[in-house]
Structures are given as C-alpha cells and as structure tokens.
Amino acid sequence: MDENVNFQEKAASAIPHFSINYRFNVNLIPTSWSNCLFDLSVSICFQVFGGQKFDAGCFHDLNMILVFIVMPGNSVEMSYKIAQIRLVSSHPEVYEPCDDSFALVDALLSDRNNLLELKPMLCMEVGCGSGYVITSLMLMLGEEANGAQFIATDINHHAIRVTQETMEAHGVYAELINTDVASGLENRLAGSVDLLVVNPPYVPTPEDEVGREGIASAWAGGENGRSVIDKILPVAEKLLSKRGWLYMVTLTANNPSQICRQMMKKGYASKIVVQRSTVEESLHIIKFWKDNDIEADTNDAITNSKAVPLGIVDSVRLQIQRLSFWGSSDINTSTN
C-alpha cells in the first residue's frame, strides 16, 4: 500500500459530515450484523489493496460507513470521542495501535455508562505504548469524569514521549511514568486505583525475549505468553481499590479460563466484554472486579478444605469456545 494513501480519510469522505473523531460501537447492533459487516470490511480492503498491507484501523471506520449504507434510518447510536489515529504519535521502537488496541478501546466504550456510574477517581494504564488507549479513555469519559486523575506507565522510554505527544495532540493530560509495570508506585497507589487498563505483552515467545529494550517489550510474553501477565496480576490486585475494575487483553494461548480461575481465588468476578478474532489471533478483553460473594465462597471452601467451585471457570471455557466472530458475553451472573 502506498504510504501516502490514508484509507481512513478516503473512507470518511464517502459520507458527508462523517467525522473520524467518532467510531461506531459495533456492540450496539446485533451480532449477526456485526459479523457480516466485519467480513464485508475485510473483503473490501483486500479488493482495494490486494495483497498489500493496509491499516487495520480502517475496519472500524469502514464498518461505520457500511452501517449507514446497509441500515439507513435505523436508530444506531454513535460512540463517544476517542483518539484519532492520524493524531497518534509514533516511533520505530513503540508499538502502534492495532487490533488488540482497538478491541480494548471498544470494550471500554461498550462499558462507558457503567464506568460513569462507577465514578473512578484514579484511572491507570500499564503499558501505554503510543498513548492511544489512555487518550481514548480520557476522551470518552470527558467532562463527565468529574475530576478523575489519570496515570500511565511504560517500561519503554520512547513510549512515554510518544504518549505525551499523542495526548498533547488531543488536548488531554495524564501523569506519565517510565517504569516496569508499576515499580515504585505500588505502595503509593495501593488500594486507590478505581480503573486499571492493561494490554500486556501476551505473545508466546522464548523467555529470554521478555523485558528486552525497545518495541520487543510490547509483545514478548514468554512461555504461553503468560510471563508478564502473571507478573501484572498480583500488582493489579494490590493497586485496585475495593470497587476497582481491571480490563485486560488476553490471547487464547494465554489460557484465559485459567487466568479467571486464578483471579477468582482472590475474590474477583470476571466478564468477557469483547471477543475478536483475526487471521492471526483470537483476543478476549476480560473485565475483573471484586465480588464479596465469590470471596466468601472461597473462604468457606478453604475453611471446609474443599476445592474452589469450578462452575464459573467452566463457563468461561465454554464461552471462549462458543463466542461468535465478534461479540461479548458474561462470565458470571453479576450485573457489572
């Protein structure tokens, strides 16, 4: 693909007054429609660009255009403002927004009303990369965030600079800290983070690739892609407030059901907010929150020397197998 071709801007011009500032929330239309629209978007992109590489971000914008063409006059809502790809800064050693980034932002968008009801006072992203996710979060919450503070960390110092540039381009601000996960912040922020967002290095790689400098730190996840995830989870548990929520990107190879079982033993309920499959991977955006009932059940199980009930975990496994090409589903019966 010619680097000078901006597919999103060309696609946007197909509909008068269409703004890239807004992205269609695919969760607001039936799953069958979203599947068809996604397939159609992919088909169009391949027909236009052939075997050439094209920006995965165009799927979102093209999906929105297709909704207006295929479903004119329907009362389809628009999602709130998120970061504009053309304003996201870049660097050769910084991970650019891709399918996992878009899926995570879509998960936050789909849960926006719940987030506003939560009224988080401290929001944090671990591994901010280009700044696309933390910037989108600040924009979608907007003035209704009621003075919430935002913090983002990254082990890559280039990512800190790029995120700063991305935020400045969008007129938002967050405290940026160059550190590994939350090193140096755990005691300061213990029990005070109401919203924690993580797109961890989840790609299965040799262990010696984990934690390397530069862009490799963004994806190298070690054996089963779990090395960094398993490092982040206990930190997240320490950082989260009693009412705190964690949104995390996982890959099928990471064994999401096992992650949910691990968090359940700590008293956390789980919910798959978005599931998305691409040619290369199957992603799950999982939301975790403290559930007193689960915690009580776990304590009773320990007291009675019985195994922790696996019903919830089994349901997670079934959902991961059954979820459609593009959809979302609950892992337990809670309303969060």
Side-chain angles (χ1 to χ4, degrees):
M1 173 182 174
D2 185 348
E3 294 182 355
N4 294 322
V5 174
N6 188 324
F7 181 88
Q8 296 187 37
E9 290 185 356
K10 284 183 175 293
S13 65
I15 293 182
H17 312 301
F18 172 71
S19 171
I20 290 294
N21 286 345
Y22 292 85
R23 175 168 296 162
F24 176 73
N25 185 354
V26 74
N27 292 295
L28 296 176
I29 62 175
T31 301
S32 58
W33 272 106
S34 68
N35 292 346
C36 293
L37 294 175
F38 183 85
D39 292 342
L40 185 55
S41 297
V42 174
S43 176
I44 291 174
C45 287
F46 275 102
Q47 288 185 41
V48 173
F49 299 120
Q52 297 175 316
K53 184 178 179 181
F54 50 84
D55 180 9
C58 69
F59 291 147
H60 284 273
D61 302 318
L62 186 53
N63 277 333
M64 183 175 180
I65 291 171
L66 290 173
V67 167
F68 279 94
I69 295 174
V70 177
M71 303 170 66
N74 281 267
S75 56
V76 180
E77 298 182 33
M78 295 286 290
S79 64
Y80 292 83
K81 269 194 173 183
I82 60 172
Q84 300 181 52
I85 294 297
R86 64 183 181 83
L87 295 180
V88 174
S89 186
S90 63
H91 185 280
E93 292 299 320
V94 175
Y95 185 72
E96 295 184 354
C98 199
D99 294 322
D100 48 2
S101 313
F102 302 140
L104 180 53
V105 168
D106 282 348
L108 294 171
L109 276 172
S110 69
D111 223 15
R112 180 181 183 273
N113 289 337
N114 290 327
L115 288 171
L116 291 176
E117 290 182 7
L118 176 67
K119 296 180 180 178
M121 295 310 297
L122 182 58
C123 306
M124 181 176 182
E125 181 182 14
V126 170
C128 55
S130 67
Y132 173 76
V133 174
I134 189 67
T135 299
S136 293
L137 176 61
M138 288 187 280
L139 289 172
M140 73 174 71
L141 294 182
E143 296 180 356
E144 297 177 74
N146 295 321
Q149 294 182 310
F150 297 84
I151 297 176
T153 70
D154 204 294
I155 192 174
N156 183 349
H157 69 277
H158 295 297
I160 296 298
R161 179 179 62 80
V162 168
T163 294
Q164 182 66 48
E165 293 171 351
T166 296
M167 291 192 304
E168 289 176 354
H170 290 85
V172 294
Y173 170 81
E175 182 179 353
L176 302 179
I177 301 171
N178 183 198
T179 188
D180 184 11
V181 186
S183 179
L185 300 173
E186 293 180 57
N187 292 331
R188 168 189 165 193
L189 302 180
S192 61
V193 178
D194 296 320
L195 176 58
L196 183 59
V197 180
V198 187
N199 183 3
Y202 55 69
V203 178
T205 63
E207 286 295 331
D208 60 5
E209 293 184 14
V210 177
R212 286 185 177 180
E213 293 187 2
I215 196 170
S217 65
W219 66 67
E223 185 178 358
N224 298 323
R226 287 286 297 274
S227 293
V228 181
I229 290 176
D230 289 339
K231 179 180 179 180
I232 289 175
L233 289 176
V235 176
E237 183 188 358
K238 184 173 183 178
L239 292 174
L240 287 172
S241 66
K242 291 182 179 180
R243 66 192 188 97
W245 295 350
L246 165 65
Y247 293 81
M248 177 177 283
V249 180
T250 65
L251 190 66
T252 299
N254 304 149
N255 197 343
S257 61
Q258 187 182 68
I259 294 174
C260 291
R261 179 186 292 113
Q262 182 177 335
M263 291 296 284
M264 185 177 68
K265 290 179 179 179
K266 300 293 185 179
Y268 285 88
S270 312
K271 174 181 178 180
I272 297 175
V273 184
V274 167
Q275 186 270 348
R276 190 155 300 164
S277 297
T278 67
V279 175
E280 299 178 349
E281 56 191 6
S282 181
L283 301 165
H284 304 83
I285 314 302
I286 305 179
K287 172 185 175 181
F288 299 94
W289 68 95
K290 201 75 172 178
D291 189 307
N292 293 331
D293 292 335
I294 287 181
E295 192 169 19
D297 290 343
T298 302
N299 291 334
D300 289 343
I302 293 175
T303 301
N304 298 325
S305 300
K306 295 179 180 179
V308 176
L310 298 181
I312 294 176
V313 177
D314 290 338
S315 70
V316 174
R317 184 179 298 109
L318 288 173
Q319 287 177 65
I320 291 173
Q321 294 172 348
R322 295 174 180 172
L323 279 174
S324 62
F325 193 71
W326 194 326
S328 61
S329 179
D330 289 352
I331 285 179
N332 71 8
T333 57
S334 297
T335 57
N336 281 313

